[in-house]
Amino acid sequence: MAKILVTGGIGYIGSHTVVELQKVGFEVVVVDNLSNSNVEVLSGIEKITGIRPVFENIDCVDYVSMDRMFEKHSDIVAIIHFAASKAVGESVEKPLLYYRNNLVSLVNLLELMPIHKVQNLVFSSSCTVYGQPDVLPVTEDAPIKPALSPYGNTKQIGEEIIRDTIHSNASTKSIILRYFNPIGAHASAEIGELPNGVPNNLLPFVTQTAIGLRKELQVFGDDYNTPDGSCIRDYIHVVDLAKAHVIAVQRMLDNRTKSSVETFNLGTGRGLSVLEIIRTFEQVNGVKIPYKLVARREGDIEKVWAEPSFANNELGWKATETVEETLRSAWAWEQNYAQRSKID
Ligand code: UFG
């Protein structure tokens, strides 16, 4: 079966995608520099699928090592490029780290692809490119707003780099996937979100508070123009998101793409507030989340949720997991991880 390179394949979305790729028979090579991931995740993947993916500990910024990796795995037919830094706050403090990590790695891949006769690239982008949309739900042709952080800017520039490159080189094709807010974990609870240090994102903070690692959750802002005053996002189960990558890869390999660059929103189409997430988490899991309403977080968008019809109709993909099931899976993962850490 065809061999797929997954950069950042040990990370949160990457690892769930590796599982889905292996499940349908793809062979996977993972490139990851372990900068925000733990090599043990490979064992989690192996437990689920029975297959340990080939792992190359390489930084995608390192052109020479990437070149050698492509020589070694000369039968790679497509790349899913997750490897990137993704903490919004850190990107404001260390912009050059973000521009280097996120853009140089992409440029390296785009340069190496024609050399090694790889034509297909799936790129991880984000709903951050829309900023605060004027119209909700947001469609793929909504205007791109000025980025609010260097991180967001790397996703906008990344998309432009891909479009410009493909415009100049007919052999490369790409599917750009704009993620909304991935949460939850694999149903086995063998893999899940495992941030280093204090979590920036909502769900790992919620689960770590529930298990007692954090005293209380801070809800950033209660005076937004939303029904309960907290921000609204489109939370999507990470496994639903992972499955979209498999479909995107297959679409490119089957030559079913309608243009050399296609862009899709990956969301559920439903917006939920921070307080709704907390309430639902408490209900479905029977645990209390101590929380405090605090000031707004700088750079937060008030409300955003996806119009996923284009992905639904064109990719034949739809997010199917309920938010209740998703929040259950997040809690099961946190508990399983805590249990395992005690044993180790
Ligand atoms: N939130 C809290 N408390 C927390 C963490 C988050 O109230 O401790 C709130 C945020 O203010 C926001 C919502 O929960 O309203 C979701 O926040 P996340 O940080 O989980 O997600 P974001 O929507 O801010 O971030 C997402 C992606 C990022 C991407 C960003 C760009 O997860 O990778 O969109 O806007 F950079």
Side-chain angles (χ1 to χ4, degrees), residues 86 88 126-128 151 180-182 199-203 205 217-220 231-233 235 274 297 299-301:
K86 63 163 184 128
V88 176
S126 163
C127 66
T128 189
Y151 161 77
F180 284 69
N181 287 54
N200 293 301
N201 294 111
L202 179 62
L203 248 292
F205 211 106
L217 169 74
Q218 297 190 318
V219 174
F220 298 131
C231 290
I232 295 180
R233 297 285 183 277
Y235 294 94
V274 176
R297 180 171 72 175
D300 262 342
I301 304 295

Side-chain angles (χ1 to χ4, degrees), residues 19-273:
V19 166
E20 296 306 314
L21 286 166
Q22 290 180 330
K23 263 169 64 181
V24 297
F26 283 110
E27 237 183 278
V28 177
V29 176
V30 168
V31 162
D32 200 300
N33 68 353
L34 303 178
S35 62
N36 191 29
S37 56
N38 188 325
V39 74
E40 280 171 31
V41 169
L42 290 173
S43 308
I45 295 173
E46 189 178 0
K47 271 198 193 149
I48 298 170
T49 64
I51 307 162
R52 197 174 182 88
V54 173
F55 168 51
E56 301 284 359
N57 186 345
I58 299 175
D59 189 333
C60 296
V61 167
D62 177 351
Y63 181 94
V64 174
S65 299
M66 287 300 282
D67 190 26
R68 270 195 222 118
M69 187 282 306
F70 277 110
E71 295 257 306
K72 182 170 159 194
H73 303 285
S74 56
D75 47 351
I76 288 169
V77 292
I79 303 167
I80 306 180
H81 181 44
F82 291 107
S85 303
K86 63 163 184 128
V88 176
E90 185 189 44
S91 80
V92 176
E93 274 147 39
K94 302 177 186 164
L96 294 178
L97 178 76
Y98 274 66
Y99 287 116
R100 175 181 294 277
N101 281 353
N102 295 4
L103 299 181
V104 175
S105 59
L106 177 62
V107 170
N108 282 348
L109 285 176
L110 288 165
E111 282 183 345
L112 288 163
M113 284 172 71
I115 297 172
H116 295 280
K117 308 211 163 20
V118 184
Q119 291 190 323
N120 306 302
L121 175 72
V122 177
F123 179 65
S124 296
S125 189
S126 163
C127 66
T128 189
V129 300
Y130 300 120
Q132 176 59 62
D134 301 323
V135 180
L136 287 167
V138 63
T139 57
E140 287 82 353
D141 50 15
I144 301 300
K145 296 278 180 70
L148 290 174
S149 69
Y151 161 77
N153 211 19
T154 65
K155 290 299 169 191
Q156 295 190 358
I157 299 171
E159 288 196 8
E160 283 171 19
I161 290 174
I162 290 173
R163 284 191 208 97
D164 289 346
T165 306
I166 289 177
H167 184 70
S168 73
N169 168 10
S171 76
T172 302
K173 283 189 295 188
S174 182
I175 293 184
I176 293 172
L177 299 176
R178 291 180 180 155
Y179 311 149
F180 284 69
N181 287 54
I183 60 169
H186 192 266
S188 65
E190 292 293 346
I191 56 171
E193 193 165 5
L194 195 53
N196 284 344
V198 182
N200 293 301
N201 294 111
L202 179 62
L203 248 292
F205 211 106
V206 165
T207 56
Q208 291 192 9
T209 306
I211 211 151
L213 283 175
R214 315 265 159 217
K215 206 168 111 264
E216 71 183 355
L217 169 74
Q218 297 190 318
V219 174
F220 298 131
D222 63 349
D223 57 352
Y224 284 102
N225 181 24
T226 60
D228 66 21
S230 65
C231 290
I232 295 180
R233 297 285 183 277
D234 185 333
Y235 294 94
I236 175 171
H237 196 302
V238 66
V239 173
D240 275 332
L241 193 70
K243 287 177 178 163
H245 292 76
V246 180
I247 292 173
V249 162
Q250 199 60 61
R251 180 179 174 89
M252 288 197 288
L253 296 180
D254 295 345
N255 284 317
R256 283 186 282 115
T257 50
K258 304 253 165 81
S259 58
S260 42
V261 187
E262 292 184 321
T263 305
F264 295 101
N265 280 346
L266 297 183
T268 66
R270 180 181 182 203
L272 289 171
S273 73

Side-chain angles (χ1 to χ4, degrees), residues 298-342:
E298 204 188 328
D300 262 342
I301 304 295
E302 184 168 84
K303 47 190 163 194
V304 60
W305 62 94
E307 173 53 77
S309 323
F310 185 52
N312 296 163
N313 300 332
E314 197 54 49
L315 289 180
W317 166 90
K318 200 172 189 320
T320 56
E321 297 284 354
T322 62
V323 70
E324 286 81 7
E325 193 42 51
T326 309
L327 293 174
R328 252 182 239 123
S329 73
W331 181 224
W333 155 249
E334 184 71 56
Q335 289 174 295
N336 189 31
Y337 185 71
Q339 197 56 36
R340 252 192 355 230
S341 310
K342 260 189 237 151

